[in-house]
Amino acid sequence: MIKRLFLSERAMLTAIIINAVVIFALYFPTLRNNEWLLAIDHAFILFFLIEVIVKLIVLKPKAYFRGNWNRFDFIIVMGSLPVFLEGLFPIPEATGLLILLRLFRLVRLVRFLRFIPNIEHVMTGLGRAIKASVFVLVALVFLNFMLAILTCHFYADIAPEYFGNPLVSIYSIFQLFTLEGWNEIPAAIVQTTDSAFTIGMTRFYFAIVVILGGIFGMSLANAVFIDEMMMDNNEELEKKVDALTDEIRMLRETLSQK
């Protein structure tokens, strides 16, 4: 009965969902130090630890660690064990250890990923998409860096809140790439001058920045990423087309022999 419980994917999914609700409740200020919720949270750590032990006994260590998801679960559960320190020892709120313990508590929720249908295909597509997008992302980073320095040179004194130093400028240019603040930032600069030439050049310059980074750059990155993510569907469609082509060829050969 116990083995069946801990080997049941449905039971583990239910436990993760309930644990997520408990963790969610613990982040309300009035419930943050609730003894009952903390006890339930610690009980779930024991529950998942017993799950690991049962699977190690049933599957044997070699077979258990051969599975990617089993290794993932093992790391998450082992990483959650320090949360017990929060209940055994008084830890000041300001210490980094308490923050670390609470982060471990949140990381446990990542286990929910393994129950997403076709998650292996999603993760494979995600990895492939990231690899394919690397050069586009590097080009965008370089463009951001170059435009940030250029904009900082011309507008550091005019709009220091946006381009006062290279780091602030990089963030502001990234905002323009994402089309956030594409109107507010130039408007803030235009308001500081009465020169028609400066106003016109400022609007023209930031229009170029938005077009290069926001429209062309980000759109290209999204297109490459989505295309690679959808590659599995395209491969499956290509296989079906190839199979249909072979069937048509065989049918033609059969008809020609008659």
Side-chain angles (χ1 to χ4, degrees):
M1 181 66 180
I2 295 178
K3 289 183 180 180
R4 188 181 304 171
L5 172 65
F6 287 102
L7 294 176
S8 170
E9 297 291 343
R10 180 175 296 180
M12 291 302 105
L13 177 59
T14 303
I16 291 172
I17 292 173
I18 298 174
N19 191 200
V21 173
V22 172
I23 293 174
F24 178 80
L26 278 169
Y27 276 86
F28 283 95
T30 56
L31 299 175
R32 184 161 294 175
N33 297 313
N34 185 281
E35 294 182 359
W36 286 103
L37 289 178
L38 287 173
I40 295 173
D41 185 48
H42 294 163
F44 273 111
I45 298 176
L46 285 176
F47 182 82
F48 294 132
L49 180 60
I50 295 172
E51 176 204 2
V52 170
I53 294 173
V54 169
K55 286 186 175 180
L56 283 171
I57 294 173
V58 173
L59 301 177
K60 306 305 179 186
K62 187 175 181 179
Y64 176 83
F65 287 108
R66 192 181 297 127
N68 293 329
W69 283 116
N70 289 335
R71 292 198 297 268
F72 175 78
D73 288 346
F74 182 83
I75 293 171
I76 295 297
V77 172
M78 293 301 108
S80 300
L81 292 181
V83 176
F84 278 116
L85 294 175
E86 189 178 2
L88 297 176
F89 304 101
I91 303 174
E93 275 291 326
T95 62
L97 179 59
L98 184 59
I99 297 174
L100 184 62
L101 293 176
R102 287 176 176 168
L103 285 177
F104 273 126
R105 179 188 294 155
L106 292 175
V107 169
R108 267 183 290 155
L109 303 183
V110 181
R111 292 191 65 197
F112 184 81
L113 290 175
R114 66 172 297 181
F115 298 99
I116 298 176
N118 299 319
I119 185 63
E120 292 84 3
H121 294 294
V122 174
M123 297 304 294
T124 301
L126 181 61
R128 188 173 56 243
I130 292 174
K131 289 180 181 178
S133 305
V134 165
F135 293 110
V136 178
L137 294 176
V138 169
L140 278 174
V141 169
F142 177 76
L143 180 63
N144 189 340
F145 181 80
M146 183 181 67
L147 290 174
I149 295 176
L150 181 64
T151 312
C152 183
H153 175 77
F154 287 107
Y155 296 101
D157 297 329
I158 300 175
E161 67 275 22
Y162 295 116
F163 307 107
N165 62 63
L167 289 177
V168 175
S169 185
I170 285 174
Y171 179 72
S172 298
I173 293 297
F174 179 73
Q175 278 187 299
L176 294 172
F177 281 5
T178 59
L179 302 182
E180 179 183 352
W182 67 271
N183 187 36
E184 290 82 358
I185 293 176
I189 297 174
V190 166
Q191 290 175 0
T192 63
T193 180
D194 294 328
S195 172
F197 176 78
T198 303
I199 292 173
M201 289 303 298
T202 296
R203 289 173 174 169
F204 176 76
Y205 172 75
F206 283 103
I208 295 298
V209 171
V210 171
I211 291 172
L212 286 178
I215 298 178
F216 290 146
M218 296 298 287
S219 297
L220 178 61
N222 289 334
V224 172
F225 192 89
I226 293 173
D227 184 62
E228 290 297 327
M229 284 290 291
M230 299 296 293
M231 187 63 71
D232 286 340
N233 295 336
N234 293 339
E235 289 178 355
E236 184 177 351
L237 181 60
E238 290 175 0
K239 290 179 181 179
K240 291 181 179 180
V241 172
D242 291 339
L244 182 60
T245 302
D246 292 338
E247 291 180 2
I248 293 174
R249 186 182 301 111
M250 292 176 60
L251 183 59
R252 286 180 177 176
E253 292 177 355
T254 301
L255 293 175
S256 61
Q257 291 175 359
K258 293 181 178 180

